[in-house]
Amino acid sequence: MTVVHGVDGCRKGWICVSLDLSTGELSAKVFKTAKALFKDSPGPIGIDIPIGLPAATSRKCDVAARRLLKKRGSSVFPVPMRAALNPKFTYKAACDANEKQCGKRLPQQSYAILPKIREVDKLLQKDANLRKRVYEVHPEVSFYYWNEEKPMQHSKRSGFGFLERYKLVEKEFPGAVLQIREEHPRSDVADDDILDAIAVAWTARRIYMKEYECIPGGDPERDEMGLPMQMLA
């Protein structure tokens, strides 16, 4: 039995949607920490979090993803410079550190996920085997390829945006969204978190089958820790 996993951040921590490739069935668990998630989830893992942090400039993969997504490109948040990761930094201090490195301050959205970025970054630095099976995947890029290489028309947080993504997922995995919704309260996991995690799992299957796309193409940039700065879709 081969199982692949799609992971997205959520209110409770992380939602992990697992796809059994032998049956095509989806299941989901919520974890407070990435460490617990990685330990409990053998096999390929796609995760919606930046892997590989720049020292001075924007990552090429983020620039390429925004270009691909066009009007949905704003969903690709600016990735913090490694210098901004200090857990003791206030928002102002993180912005100052980031601006010193690249000339740009951090948006609130990027600052809000710094604890998750730090958590995954530390785990990947420590574990070479983990680095071989954990991949950065952006849900909107996954939906782009799932939708026959066309960006979603609406923001995922709008009713129309939820519906167009839900239709894609429901066609491939009938009933899965409602099943996961029934098992995990909204206080832990938002509706769009479920759809995003499923989209990442869809890409994890493509990674396992070696049918994925690299963004950008070619050999990836690597950060100063040797981590790849690329998205798979």
Side-chain angles (χ1 to χ4, degrees), residues 9-10 13-14 32-35 47-50 53 80 84-91 94 106-123:
C10 64
W14 303 90
K32 289 185 178 180
T33 68
K35 183 177 181 179
I47 187 168
D48 178 22
I49 204 73
L53 302 176
L85 277 193
N86 190 320
K88 296 181 180 180
F89 279 171
T90 61
Y91 177 58
L106 278 179
Q108 286 282 0
Q109 299 99 318
S110 297
Y111 179 72
I113 63 172
L114 280 185
K116 285 183 165 61
I117 294 175
R118 277 195 300 268
E119 181 184 14
V120 172
D121 181 68
K122 288 181 179 180
L123 291 169

Side-chain angles (χ1 to χ4, degrees), residues 125-142:
Q125 285 189 51
K126 291 179 181 178
D127 191 336
N129 290 324
L130 201 58
R131 292 196 295 272
K132 294 177 182 177
R133 66 184 187 91
V134 177
Y135 307 91
E136 179 179 346
V137 178
H138 196 289
E140 282 300 295
V141 179
S142 295

Side-chain angles (χ1 to χ4, degrees), residues 59 61-62 65 76 136 138 141 213-215 230-233:
R59 305 190 309 170
C61 61
D62 298 323
V76 182
E136 179 179 346
H138 196 289
V141 179
E213 301 286 341
C214 288
I215 300 170
Q230 69 175 358
M231 296 178 190
L232 302 187

Side-chain angles (χ1 to χ4, degrees), residues 172-224:
E172 181 83 13
F173 305 109
V177 176
L178 292 179
Q179 177 184 335
I180 295 171
R181 177 73 287 160
E182 290 176 0
E183 294 171 351
H184 299 280
R186 283 184 173 82
S187 57
D188 291 351
V189 182
D191 290 342
D192 60 288
D193 296 333
I194 295 173
L195 294 179
D196 282 352
I198 293 174
V200 177
W202 179 86
T203 288
R205 178 175 62 185
R206 283 162 59 90
I207 293 170
Y208 178 81
M209 300 297 291
K210 302 188 185 304
E211 297 173 348
Y212 61 91
E213 301 286 341
C214 288
I215 300 170
D219 293 334
E221 294 181 289
R222 292 188 179 271
D223 70 4
E224 59 189 354

